[in-house]
Amino acid sequence: MRIALPLLPLLLLAGCGGGDAGSGNSGAPAEKVAAVTAPAGTSWTETVSVTPEGGYRMGNPDAAIKLVEYGSRTCPTCGQFGRDSVPKLADTYVASGKVSYEFRDFAVHGAPDLAAALLGRCGGTGPFFPLLDQMYANQNAVLDKLQALPEAFQARVQQMPPAQSLTLWADQLGFVDFVKQRGIPEAKARQCLADQKGMEALVKITQDAADKVTGTPSFFLNDTKLDAVNWTQVEAALRDAGA
């Protein structure tokens, strides 16, 4: 699939923070799931793999309870969940081996999300979640830069080839310097931004989920969508599932 730059804005398929906001699962709680010890010398919170769907999964790959988040790196609601809730999720549930947590980049804001996601995946599995955490910690500064961009800039980048456009977005929003300061060489960062297959993979995640993801963050527990956008709701669903 070749990405045509004028089509990138069409990825704005859902609103940030626009998902359902119910109370999670409403059925009777399931039986408690037994904890699973990580292999010797490892921990589940540092066990990260790429899934067939293109997400990055933290935890026991055979966990009985699988939590998937579709999130945007420029979505404030996702940022709040990442900053305030993922540490609790990891330390309490993922670490037990009962729950795995998978993050799938959903490009709700088009090119800025794609640029951030390409760089967030650039270092591979090891630094994926630490880099995601740090991007969320720095999110307000990025959003301020986005707000300050003139319309002329956005019109100009629309006329560029995808790799050139995403690189310009990444430079304008400070993403290249950001990952450079966190161990990804600038040359490698720019190579990742120009990676056609990487772009296609990220666009596919968004397109494949467009019929079920109505806002970010959106959470799925064992393939069932949760009526949840915050930690209280997500944790209730995990407990109902036996975590």
Side-chain angles (χ1 to χ4, degrees):
M1 148 179 49
R2 180 163 295 279
I3 303 171
L5 193 52
L7 296 181
L8 287 176
L10 299 181
L11 295 175
L12 190 61
L13 302 171
C16 173
D20 300 326
S23 58
N25 291 345
S26 57
E31 291 186 13
K32 285 292 183 182
V33 173
V36 180
T37 303
T42 69
S43 67
W44 288 131
T45 57
E46 294 179 345
T47 302
V48 180
S49 57
V50 181
T51 68
E53 295 77 14
Y56 280 67
R57 178 179 55 211
M58 176 201 305
N60 177 7
D62 298 318
I65 302 169
K66 294 177 169 59
L67 179 68
V68 174
E69 175 189 355
Y70 286 88
S72 155
R73 295 173 192 250
T74 61
C75 163
T77 309
C78 303
Q80 182 176 358
F81 185 86
R83 291 187 297 269
D84 300 341
S85 307
V86 170
K88 302 171 188 175
L89 169 64
D91 293 344
T92 303
Y93 295 99
V94 175
S96 72
K98 300 178 182 181
V99 177
S100 66
Y101 167 59
E102 179 181 346
F103 183 87
R104 298 179 188 172
D105 279 286
F106 190 87
V108 69
H109 296 139
D113 275 335
L114 286 175
L118 283 168
L119 292 176
R121 296 155 66 101
C122 193
T125 57
F128 178 86
F129 283 102
L131 196 52
L132 178 63
D133 293 344
Q134 291 165 33
M135 282 188 170
Y136 279 147
N138 188 56
Q139 189 187 69
N140 286 340
V142 171
L143 295 180
D144 287 345
K145 291 176 182 177
L146 269 173
Q147 289 280 42
L149 285 175
E151 290 186 9
F153 170 83
Q154 301 187 49
R156 179 162 62 96
V157 294
Q158 283 298 319
Q159 307 306 315
M160 297 178 179
Q164 184 180 352
S165 167
L166 294 179
T167 298
L168 191 56
W169 274 106
D171 283 329
Q172 193 74 24
L173 298 176
F175 290 144
V176 173
D177 284 342
F178 183 85
V179 298
K180 182 180 173 181
Q181 293 166 9
R182 287 158 179 81
I184 296 178
E186 181 173 346
K188 183 175 181 180
R190 296 190 182 282
Q191 184 179 32
C192 288
L193 288 166
D195 179 11
Q196 179 73 22
K197 289 185 178 180
M199 295 179 212
E200 292 172 358
L202 285 166
V203 171
K204 187 175 188 301
I205 293 173
T206 299
Q207 291 177 337
D208 286 351
D211 62 339
K212 60 183 180 181
V213 175
T214 56
T216 55
S218 283
F219 297 96
F220 292 79
L221 193 63
N222 291 348
D223 297 325
T224 297
K225 188 175 183 181
L226 298 180
D227 293 330
V229 295
N230 62 44
W231 176 240
T232 299
Q233 297 159 346
V234 170
E235 186 176 37
L238 291 172
R239 289 179 172 173
D240 285 347

